[in-house]
Amino acid sequence: MDEVLYQVNKQYGGASNKINDEIDSSFDDSADDVREANNNGVSLLKSAMCFPIGLTMRAEHVMDDGTKYDVDELAYWEENVTLSVDMVPDYLFAEDNDGGKELINLGVRNICLMGPNGVPVLPPPNYVVHFNSWMINVEGRIDGFTLFDADNECHPNPIFGHEAQAYRREKHTVYDPISSTLLGKNTPIEFSFTTGTFIFVPPGVKGIGDGLGGTTESSLEYGNILGK
């Protein structure tokens, strides 16, 4: 995974540097204005465009006992569904002010289960391998998640025929637009899970484990995401 991320950053970073060099050589003192205009255009397109996913759904009539009607008894029909998804943040890595990357809305804690040096398999002096394992806790939040149904026909539009129906999850209090009655609270999508990993290494004096950070290591965001 680290190698994939490295190659993505390397290739895209190289292309970005080449574009910047071409802008500098072609526009001289106006280069920064050109870059700003390009960024503004990208932001505009990003807010207006999404990549839809189209699929065909077949509707079948089902009896109370779960069996299906024969197609000759009650006709089936097919409906095209075109869905698109938008979310904030767009990805878990975000650029910081120094050009590096940082995890956002994601907290990680790992617990070294076998101590800072791990444990030998078979007693000394006949060590075969050293072994250690980690439990990894992850928690995160998607601040804004929107699902569009672009084929929905429930919202007529005099120009485009109909508007997409949107399902949104975000931190927001919902009121009735007419009476201002509180209807409820919308909450962002939150998630947490636990996974693990283990490792075997050849026998040695130091073994294998978390010798510097202690047996429990947490990112700054861990414990400060869920329910915030």
Side-chain angles (χ1 to χ4, degrees):
M1 185 64 184
D2 291 337
E3 178 63 21
V4 172
L5 183 60
Y6 168 76
Q7 291 296 336
V8 169
N9 289 334
K10 180 180 178 181
Q11 298 300 326
Y12 279 90
S16 177
N17 292 335
K18 185 175 181 179
I19 292 173
N20 282 328
D21 291 341
E22 290 294 331
I23 291 176
D24 288 333
S25 63
S26 300
F27 296 96
D28 296 328
D29 295 338
S30 301
D32 289 338
D33 294 332
V34 173
R35 271 189 284 268
E36 182 179 0
N38 287 341
N39 291 332
N40 291 338
V42 170
S43 298
L44 178 62
L45 289 175
K46 182 179 176 182
S47 64
M49 297 178 63
C50 56
F51 295 96
I53 302 173
L55 66 153
T56 300
M57 299 178 64
R58 187 177 187 183
E60 300 176 345
H61 298 281
V62 182
M63 303 181 190
D64 293 338
D65 60 1
T67 59
K68 300 176 182 178
Y69 286 95
D70 187 85
V71 67
D72 295 328
E73 295 180 296
L74 197 57
Y76 297 175
W77 74 91
E78 293 184 348
E79 180 177 353
N80 293 325
V81 178
T82 303
L83 304 177
S84 58
V85 176
D86 188 23
M87 59 182 285
V88 178
D90 293 329
Y91 37 75
L92 295 175
F93 282 102
E95 299 284 350
D96 60 25
N97 294 330
D98 297 326
K101 292 182 179 294
E102 61 177 348
L103 284 171
I104 55 176
N105 289 358
L106 187 70
V108 180
R109 178 181 67 182
N110 72 80
I111 302 173
C112 184
L113 300 177
M114 301 298 174
N117 300 315
V119 294
V121 178
L122 295 182
N126 301 313
Y127 289 168
V128 178
V129 292
H130 251 85
F131 166 79
N132 212 328
S133 61
W134 288 261
M135 180 173 66
I136 304 170
N137 306 118
V138 179
E139 61 183 28
R141 183 184 68 249
I142 301 174
D143 289 331
F145 180 88
T146 306
L147 178 66
F148 299 95
D149 179 3
D151 277 345
N152 181 66
E153 300 179 3
C154 296
H155 305 290
N157 185 293
I159 299 177
F160 300 104
H162 68 274
E163 295 180 359
Q165 181 171 327
Y167 168 82
R168 288 188 175 90
R169 286 287 302 273
E170 59 188 356
K171 189 174 183 179
H172 184 66
T173 303
V174 182
Y175 295 91
D176 186 297
I178 298 177
S179 65
S180 299
T181 302
L182 176 64
L183 299 180
K185 293 185 177 180
N186 195 357
T187 58
I189 296 176
E190 297 182 340
F191 59 90
S192 62
F193 61 89
T194 299
T195 184
T197 187
F198 62 90
I199 189 172
F200 291 94
V201 299
V205 178
K206 295 183 178 180
I208 180 68
D210 290 333
L212 297 178
T215 55
T216 300
E217 296 178 309
S218 302
S219 67
L220 295 176
E221 296 81 6
Y222 189 82
N224 299 308
I225 294 179
L226 302 184
K228 301 300 182 180

